[in-house]
Amino acid sequence: MAQKNPNLITLSSGEAFQPFRYSVGLYGSRFFAELKDNKRLMGVRCPGCRRVHVPPRPVCGPCYKRMEEWVEVGPLGTIATFTILRFAFIDPETGQKKPVPYGYGLIRLDGADTNFQHFLELPKDGKVAIGMRVRPVFEESRRGNLRDIKHFEIIED
Amino acid sequence: MADKPAIIGVGQTEFGAPKTDQTFADLTYEAVNAALVDAELDIKDIDNIITVSNDFWDGRTISSMAVGDAVGAAFGQGKNISTVEGDGAFGAFYGLARILSGSYQNTLVVAHSKGSEGDNRLITNAFFDPIFERSLGMDSVTAAALQAKSYMEKYKISPRQTAMVSVKNRANALKNPKAHLREELDIEDILRSPQIAPPIRRHDACPVSDGAAALILANEDFAKKRSGKPVWVEGVAFCADAYRLGERALWESRALREAAKKAYAMAGIADPRKEIGVAEIYEAFSYQELLWSEELGFASPGGGGALLESRVTQTHGELPVNPSGGCLSAHAVCAAGLVRMIEAALQIRGDAANPVRKPKKALAHGQNGLCGQSHCVWILGAN
Amino acid sequence: MAKRVAIVGSGQTNHMGSRPDVTGVELIHEAVAKALESAGLTRDDIDGVVIGNMDHFEGINGVELWSIDGNGGFMKPTIKLTTGGTTGSTLAIGGYHLVASGHFDRLLVIGWEKNSESDTTGAITTAFDPVWDRMVFAGAISGLALEATAYSQKYGVTGKDAARVVVRDRGNAVKNPHAHVRKEITVEEVLRSPMISDPLHFWDMCPRTDGACAVIFASEDVAEKISPKPAWVWATANRHLYSMAGDVEFGSLRSLELAAAEVYQKTGIKEPLKEIDVMELYTPYSYAGLSWIEALGLARPGEGAKLLWDGATDMGGELPINPSGGVISTNPIGATGLIRAAECALQISGQAGERQVPDVKVALSTGFGGCYWSDILMYGAKKP
């Protein structure tokens, strides 16, 4: 069929790259400052439904109310769901193939009502399940972004 | 139009760059709340939502995902929502259609952009065909320069005439607290500013702004019952020209002419120059205000410069153009066309920051693509 | 006054993994030409064009303008709608409203994608929040794996149950000349394929496809002149509930439940399994074929698998699902949701060839994408 025709040319965009400077905003900036300086994880509580949102953001979507009450959450949490990535793909953040396998999951930090996405360290026995307890492992030197947490590790509870 | 929809609420952020303290969601939330306050409505009164954004400008696939919560998509049990990519004036058209379809009483239309977060040149280079054109390194400014050159040579439009557009619009912006650039310029400032792509100089070009705009459209029934200050939609049309610049006569815009013709017919306008009381035109570059004015029927072909010199388009002229300061004073891509509609509506209501003599009909214009490949024309009215 | 709206024609490319023999514009034109032919119309008859895809798959900014030679929009109103995976269904919903508005009598609606032109997973990953979600995310597959983990643990559903969905859809695809993957598969073959993101195997997932689909929406003033059996659009609804992945309530697809409730309410459907004759569902992976039919009210929570094993959703069953072979067989992303609409219309018009379900009076299609968002359209043979 068509794709086997040696006369067909494709043009590579090469290392085409679009750089961006994404604003973290006031809420995100405060979260990362607390993470960097105090190893504290913070959420915001909705004045309507009282749910605590992590990551923090100004608006509660379902209530459409501005959230201003900051509360500390975690650092311990529970696995809400997870997967283990086993196929290689181009990481748009680096342009390189992402090293696999890696585990990641949605973590319900204690005191939060939404989930926080992060890497999960895979235990040697391979046993991961919804409901397992986890704790964050912080980087020694932190720069104020999501990678200040290396990953979450499963703990006995 | 057979059914009479109306604009019943408008809101915009201040425009500027970089707005690092506000994410896309923060900007849209601010604009939507402003529009709700203006309309004296609550989010629960809103039937459905259209967002407007662009994945390239936002550096994000499914750019609308960033603002769903902030525009109220998740409110209650969730609302029907969709997304138009490109300029907000086109997004508003889809919002209007969702009312006229009989499905909804009203539509919230929201557009956002943060030009400061990406690389303007690379993003607009991606408008060009990757196989035959992109590697030449063109972008929206160099493309506009080709159009400016061909238009100005064809009709002997002088750099002084195009510079006068910037003088007028930047002076108007001094009265608009939402504008991004608010400093007075004289003609020499513009003619002495650096060439960025001849014949376009720095002050012939719009800034690249961060900001958001929101507008609430409603059907006749809802507008009459719930709004104290409806601005009626009398006509709207849009049209797209050929893609490649080489296939268009760049000194004219048949797509704008066609869109205007249809919108005027719908609104029953025979002589736009006399019947329209104010126009908010999407002029990303100074020459565009002249060229688009011609295609909108405000002047004969090549007569845009003379129209400007006759002072007709000044704030207190017979047909003021861009009393808000236009895109030359604030230009958040995607939001810009919606801002034109908002400013035109505010003029009809008598609520504009830089009011013109109270107009009966106002024109708002949006564009998409390189050198205005696609245009959208709205006619708004008081009655 | 608002107009009633019908689908009166459609065209699809023969979908494939890679189409280096055509540019995107040419691919679009293939579908458009077929759609016009199916309706006996020419470009001159069309009074507007709506098109959509996902920008970062091909790296083209302003696709509606770039593709104007192929999409038929030259010197016509041309607009782009895009919402990620739901783009195709968003386009169909847009086609409905734009025609119903009275502004268009014959509107060309086009969805397309050349997924072969970029790294699909990398491009989808950028859909998620750059600050919070992107670091761990691995495109649609990883997100769907999270859902599969939660759903299967909640209800004790197995990989074998999920594979039954793949067996059905792939079996149906054999009879669809447009389908991309046209080869039957067994439960064992699905389970033996490599694990790519636990619990999903390679064959639990949709392929990535190059393809385009064009659909002509017409107003009641002209629909019956164009098509002897137009497919009338009865209702549309959608829910784009979430902005951040961590907010999603896993275990059931809430957005689809809410959208379904809205269309059923609008159309008076009380027992969807009995009252609807065929469904084309945007189920991009196996478990969706179980969980999401529960969200549509076809089975109680956790009991979707039983319906599958009973054969109720097979061709010849009570409610055939995905006679086209579905998304698991064909997935040109920006077109995928629109193909579902085109296939429903073909079923109602009796033009679905070997994949025809007998005597279809009511059909339903869905779209899925973004952050677990859902779109639904319902169609009928009867004018609403």
Side-chain angles (χ1 to χ4, degrees):
Chain A
M1 198 47 216
Q3 54 264 54
K4 295 202 176 105
N5 183 342
N7 298 319
L8 288 173
I9 296 167
T10 57
L11 174 72
S12 170
S13 63
E15 302 303 307
F17 173 66
Q18 292 265 3
F20 286 93
R21 297 166 290 275
Y22 299 108
S23 294
V24 176
L26 293 171
Y27 282 58
S29 295
R30 175 160 174 191
F31 178 94
F32 288 123
E34 287 280 2
L35 173 60
K36 173 170 172 278
D37 298 339
N38 307 315
K39 293 199 269 192
R40 292 210 306 169
L41 303 173
M42 303 295 291
V44 286
R45 191 191 305 277
C46 173
C49 61
R50 307 295 297 160
R51 283 156 37 97
V52 174
H53 295 61
V54 185
R57 75 297 296 259
V59 194
C60 170
C63 299
Y64 208 62
K65 285 187 190 303
R66 175 168 285 279
M67 300 188 283
E68 280 165 354
E69 182 190 345
W70 287 78
V71 287
E72 187 176 354
V73 295
L76 300 188
T78 305
I79 297 176
T81 187
F82 68 95
T83 187
I84 300 161
L85 251 295
R86 299 179 190 274
F87 69 100
F89 66 97
I90 305 288
D91 182 348
E93 290 197 325
T94 62
Q96 305 295 314
K97 287 237 159 132
K98 201 151 177 161
V100 288
Y102 68 87
Y104 91 87
L106 292 179
I107 294 146
R108 180 65 56 98
L109 293 164
D110 292 353
D113 296 292
T114 65
N115 297 318
F116 187 67
Q117 282 205 98
H118 217 288
F119 293 117
L120 276 180
E121 189 193 41
L122 298 174
K124 288 196 178 62
D125 62 9
K127 282 188 186 148
V128 192
I130 290 175
M132 282 181 164
R133 297 285 287 162
V134 292
R135 78 169 154 233
V137 177
F138 296 100
E139 289 285 358
E140 280 302 307
S141 141
R142 293 178 300 279
R143 292 174 304 168
N145 62 44
L146 209 54
R147 289 180 191 275
D148 288 352
I149 300 171
K150 274 189 212 168
H151 52 251
F152 281 76
E153 64 181 11
I154 293 166
I155 53 173
E156 302 289 327
D157 200 48
Chain B
M1 298 185 79
D3 300 273
K4 264 184 66 179
I7 294 170
I8 60 165
V10 299
Q12 37 180 333
T13 63
E14 283 179 30
F15 292 92
K19 288 183 160 244
T20 47
D21 59 332
Q22 287 186 295
T23 62
F24 301 139
D26 297 333
L27 289 169
T28 51
Y29 188 60
E30 182 184 332
V32 171
N33 276 308
L36 290 170
V37 167
D38 182 57
E40 297 181 48
L41 293 176
D42 188 90
I43 190 72
K44 71 176 192 299
D45 300 317
I46 297 298
D47 283 355
N48 87 111
I49 302 160
I50 299 296
T51 64
V52 183
S53 58
N54 175 293
D55 292 1
F56 274 84
W57 284 99
D58 285 8
R60 175 168 187 169
T61 293
I62 327 182
S63 45
S64 56
M65 207 158 109
V67 300
D69 282 351
V71 301
F75 177 76
Q77 297 289 295
K79 289 181 186 292
N80 287 278
I81 182 167
S82 194
T83 302
V84 172
E85 187 165 292
D87 180 53
F90 296 78
F93 179 85
Y94 183 33
L96 180 80
R98 282 163 76 106
I99 295 168
L100 296 176
S101 74
S103 305
Y104 308 105
Q105 297 186 90
N106 62 51
T107 302
L108 170 66
V109 184
V110 194
H112 73 267
S113 183
K114 293 190 76 177
S116 70
E117 293 194 356
D119 184 319
N120 174 19
R121 296 209 55 204
L122 289 172
I123 290 165
T124 60
N125 175 251
F127 276 113
F128 285 88
D129 180 280
I131 299 167
F132 292 103
E133 296 169 335
R134 199 175 287 181
S135 62
L136 301 174
M138 303 276 288
D139 62 16
S140 58
V141 179
T142 47
L146 294 179
Q147 185 170 42
K149 188 88 183 154
S150 69
Y151 169 63
M152 291 167 74
E153 290 220 350
K154 169 95 177 168
Y155 291 116
K156 305 287 176 277
I157 300 285
S158 69
R160 184 164 282 270
Q161 286 173 312
T162 56
M164 282 169 64
V165 174
S166 297
V167 172
K168 170 177 72 73
N169 292 355
R170 296 286 292 276
N172 289 345
L174 291 173
K175 297 191 177 149
N176 177 1
K178 307 287 189 198
H180 178 176
L181 300 179
R182 300 181 64 214
E183 44 167 353
E184 193 151 17
L185 295 174
D186 65 27
I187 201 150
E188 298 308 321
D189 294 329
I190 288 152
L191 292 173
R192 275 198 306 265
S193 68
Q195 296 260 24
I196 54 172
I200 295 174
R201 293 177 182 273
R202 165 61 52 212
H203 291 312
D204 288 311
C206 60
V208 180
S209 315
D210 296 352
L215 173 153
I216 301 167
L217 290 158
N219 68 13
E220 183 172 2
D221 192 44
F222 189 93
K224 281 187 170 155
K225 281 190 190 135
R226 300 294 298 273
S227 174
K229 45 193 174 187
V231 174
W232 301 100
V233 176
E234 299 191 349
V236 56
F238 58 109
C239 183
D241 204 333
Y243 170 62
R244 292 182 201 279
L245 301 181
E247 294 173 16
R248 284 186 253 158
L250 288 176
W251 56 83
E252 62 172 5
S253 172
R254 49 191 172 181
L256 179 54
R257 211 151 60 222
E258 175 70 13
K261 191 176 96 184
K262 281 193 190 164
Y264 292 154
M266 219 178 276
I269 290 175
D271 184 349
R273 164 80 170 73
K274 292 223 162 60
E275 295 175 58
I276 289 170
V278 61
E280 282 283 339
I281 295 178
Y282 194 136
E283 35 46 296
F285 302 91
S286 57
Y287 78 90
Q288 287 189 344
E289 184 174 302
L290 306 181
L291 174 52
W292 303 156
S293 296
E294 295 167 18
E295 299 297 15
L296 288 166
F298 300 166
S300 56
L307 179 79
L308 180 76
E309 285 173 332
S310 71
R311 303 189 61 79
V312 164
T313 61
Q314 300 285 335
T315 299
H316 298 292
E318 284 169 54
L319 172 45
V321 174
N322 291 330
S324 69
C327 294
L328 286 169
S329 307
H331 181 247
V333 177
C334 298
L338 208 56
V339 171
R340 305 277 71 71
M341 292 176 65
I342 290 169
E343 292 291 346
L346 289 170
Q347 290 288 356
I348 295 278
R349 278 164 42 175
D351 292 338
N354 182 27
V356 304
R357 271 180 303 191
K358 203 165 180 190
K360 288 198 180 62
K361 290 185 197 297
L363 179 146
H365 161 241
Q367 62 166 319
N368 267 332
L370 297 164
C371 301
Q373 187 187 342
S374 182
H375 294 269
C376 185
V377 176
W378 288 79
I379 308 296
L380 309 176
N383 304 309
Chain C
M1 275 306 290
K3 305 275 189 186
R4 288 171 287 187
V5 180
I7 293 175
V8 295
S10 69
Q12 295 178 47
T13 56
N14 284 341
H15 309 302
M16 301 168 75
S18 174
R19 285 290 306 274
D21 58 318
V22 287
T23 65
V25 179
E26 292 160 0
L27 185 77
I28 289 163
H29 184 254
E30 265 184 38
V32 167
K34 286 184 181 181
L36 290 171
E37 193 190 343
S38 80
L41 299 174
T42 69
R43 197 190 82 91
D44 291 343
D45 299 317
I46 296 298
D47 44 25
V49 175
V50 187
I51 188 167
N53 70 320
M54 285 170 80
D55 292 358
H56 289 157
F57 287 133
E58 296 84 11
I60 309 288
N61 199 352
V63 147
E64 80 279 26
L65 302 172
W66 161 83
S67 65
I68 205 139
D69 289 341
N71 71 35
F74 171 66
M75 287 308 285
K76 295 182 191 292
T78 305
I79 193 168
K80 179 173 182 198
L81 305 183
T82 177
T83 58
T86 44
T87 292
S89 45
T90 285
L91 290 164
I93 291 173
Y96 167 74
H97 287 293
L98 288 161
V99 173
S101 76
H103 276 262
F104 303 94
D105 276 329
R106 298 169 202 85
L107 186 75
L108 191 53
V109 178
I110 308 160
W112 72 285
E113 212 77 72
K114 280 198 89 175
N115 274 316
S116 67
E117 294 192 347
S118 69
D119 185 271
T120 305
T121 294
I124 296 187
T125 299
T126 71
F128 282 77
D129 192 279
V131 179
W132 304 104
D133 288 339
R134 218 172 270 186
M135 178 180 78
V136 296
F137 212 72
I141 300 167
S142 72
L144 295 171
L146 295 178
E147 187 192 45
T149 303
Y151 173 72
S152 57
Q153 285 212 18
K154 186 170 176 183
Y155 295 114
V157 167
T158 65
K160 199 174 156 190
D161 296 329
R164 177 65 176 78
V165 175
V166 182
V167 170
R168 181 198 66 202
D169 283 2
R170 289 277 298 275
N172 290 350
V174 172
K175 292 189 173 171
N176 177 2
H178 302 298
H180 170 187
V181 182
R182 295 181 68 196
K183 192 168 175 290
E184 289 189 4
I185 194 167
T186 64
V187 167
E188 292 67 36
E189 283 171 312
V190 175
L191 295 176
R192 274 205 310 271
S193 65
M195 187 69 84
I196 52 173
S197 185
D198 302 35
L200 303 183
H201 299 84
F202 183 79
W203 287 122
D204 282 307
M205 287 302 304
C206 56
R208 47 175 230 177
T209 307
D210 284 3
C213 176
V215 177
I216 298 168
F217 285 73
S219 78
E220 59 184 307
D221 297 343
V222 300
E224 283 153 315
K225 289 176 203 145
I226 298 169
S227 166
K229 272 182 102 177
W232 295 96
V233 181
W234 279 6
T236 75
N238 75 21
R239 290 296 183 277
H240 293 184
L241 285 182
Y242 305 109
S243 291
M244 302 189 93
D247 292 0
V248 178
E249 302 162 45
F250 284 103
S252 62
L253 187 56
R254 184 85 181 121
S255 60
L256 189 59
E257 290 169 4
L258 290 165
E262 184 179 328
V263 291
Y264 294 158
Q265 187 266 325
K266 282 177 173 170
T267 54
I269 295 278
K270 298 208 163 46
E271 293 182 87
L273 186 63
K274 289 207 177 72
E275 296 174 67
I276 298 171
D277 301 316
V278 64
M279 289 190 174
E280 277 287 341
L281 304 184
Y282 193 131
T283 41
Y285 82 117
S286 57
Y287 287 82
L290 305 174
S291 168
W292 300 0
I293 62 172
E294 296 164 14
L296 285 165
L298 305 186
R300 282 201 291 269
E303 294 182 4
K306 186 173 177 304
L307 205 63
L308 261 286
W309 288 113
D310 287 349
T313 68
D314 294 342
M315 293 301 273
E318 186 175 12
L319 170 53
I321 292 179
N322 295 339
S324 69
V327 184
I328 275 176
S329 308
T330 310
N331 187 34
I333 298 180
T336 301
L338 189 61
I339 292 171
R340 311 274 76 71
E343 289 288 336
C344 280
L346 289 173
Q347 291 289 350
I348 285 177
S349 304
Q351 296 175 336
E354 280 193 78
R355 60 192 188 283
Q356 179 71 47
V357 173
D359 197 27
V360 173
K361 295 203 168 57
V362 184
L364 178 148
S365 73
T366 66
F368 171 82
C371 200
Y372 304 86
W373 296 342
S374 298
D375 293 1
I376 303 186
L377 291 103
M378 268 189 69
Y379 320 80
K382 221 174 93 194
K383 202 186 275 190

